[in-house]
Amino acid sequence: MITKRIIPCLDVKNGRVVKGTNFEGLKDVSSPIELAKYYSANGADELVFYDITASAEGREIFTDILVETAANVFIPLTVGGGIDSVDDFDRVLKCGADKVSVNSGAIRNPDLIEEAAKLYGDQCVVLSVDVKRVDGQFRVFAKGGREDTGMEAIEWIKRCVGNGAGEVVVNSIDTDGVKKGFDLEMLQAVCDAVSVPVIASGGAGCIEDFITLFKALPKVDAGLAASIFHFGEVAITDLKKEMEKNNIPSRI
């Protein structure tokens, strides 16, 4: 079995890390630079930096904060928010990102993933999808979960992977911040549809939720979470010890 990754997520707004529930009610947490330093030194396998209001506000990522965050991280860094063109990919990579996450930008311009994959390679292009159940269907949402696109999520994910997305982050709006466990039904549907790495996001409340995730869905490559790590409810070192006890391979 391939080593499972544990990935803290920094949702950044106005230069600060924030966290909410179901993508709403955002509260201030900390400095992204300080949190990045902490996670890089304390067992995180990768780090995700999302400028969560860049797309909705129609602006570029705050590059100064990103550069300083990247300078303090010694694990792979994925960056997203306001990625609308290959020029945005180029700028973010030059700021120190290892991978670039695209969401609303790909919805606006479906050719963006293919263009970026040809320039930088599939491994650099991460499709991030905000998904919510609407009338019994998995639906793609844009602009930080604010806008229902009307698109069925599984078909959209298959299309983007076919165009060159090398990894998929599945953000379940239904379970985001609720801390009752990952959305196993949604993740199973995605794992059945694509062969690239799938990252589970939304719903982690305790160590056991990660154990359940990796045991129930061995195809899931990584678990991503925010508040339980930010507020010290789960230490990544403790999580990895428990994974080891359950024969789930991780980088200790």
Side-chain angles (χ1 to χ4, degrees), residues 136-155:
Q137 183 185 60
F138 293 133
R139 199 76 66 77
V140 177
F141 276 66
K143 297 184 178 176
R146 296 171 183 82
E147 185 180 287
D148 184 353
T149 66
M151 292 193 298
E152 198 279 323
I154 305 304
E155 289 306 312

Side-chain angles (χ1 to χ4, degrees), residues 37 47 53-54 75 82 102 134 145 153 165 178 186 193 196 222 240 248 251:
K37 284 181 187 175
L47 195 63
T53 56
I75 51 178
V102 62
V134 178
V178 179
M186 186 183 291
V196 298
K240 290 193 170 183
I248 300 166
R251 182 183 65 86

Side-chain angles (χ1 to χ4, degrees), residues 143-221:
K143 297 184 178 176
R146 296 171 183 82
E147 185 180 287
D148 184 353
T149 66
M151 292 193 298
E152 198 279 323
I154 305 304
E155 289 306 312
W156 170 245
I157 291 168
K158 284 166 67 175
R159 176 182 174 186
C160 291
V161 169
N163 285 343
E167 197 166 76
V168 179
V169 179
V170 182
N171 309 301
S172 172
I173 298 175
D174 296 322
T175 59
D176 174 68
V178 179
K179 299 185 180 179
K180 295 284 178 67
F182 290 98
D183 198 325
L184 300 182
E185 180 193 20
M186 186 183 291
L187 290 161
Q188 179 72 68
V190 176
C191 287
D192 289 345
V194 298
S195 56
V196 298
V198 173
I199 298 170
S201 171
C206 61
I207 286 176
E208 190 56 38
D209 289 335
F210 287 90
I211 305 302
T212 300
L213 169 71
F214 293 130
K215 283 190 165 182
L217 300 175
K219 282 187 175 181
V220 168
D221 285 79

Side-chain angles (χ1 to χ4, degrees), residues 1-6 207-208 210-216 220-221 239-252:
M1 193 187 288
I2 296 171
T3 300
K4 302 301 183 184
R5 293 171 287 154
I6 302 300
I207 286 176
E208 190 56 38
F210 287 90
I211 305 302
T212 300
L213 169 71
F214 293 130
K215 283 190 165 182
V220 168
D221 285 79
L239 167 55
K240 290 193 170 183
K241 285 175 189 171
E242 198 61 32
M243 288 169 65
E244 190 175 24
K245 282 183 195 173
N246 284 272
N247 299 312
I248 300 166
S250 68
R251 182 183 65 86
I252 303 295

Side-chain angles (χ1 to χ4, degrees), residues 78 115 220 223 233:
T78 298
E115 291 168 7
V220 168
E233 295 164 45

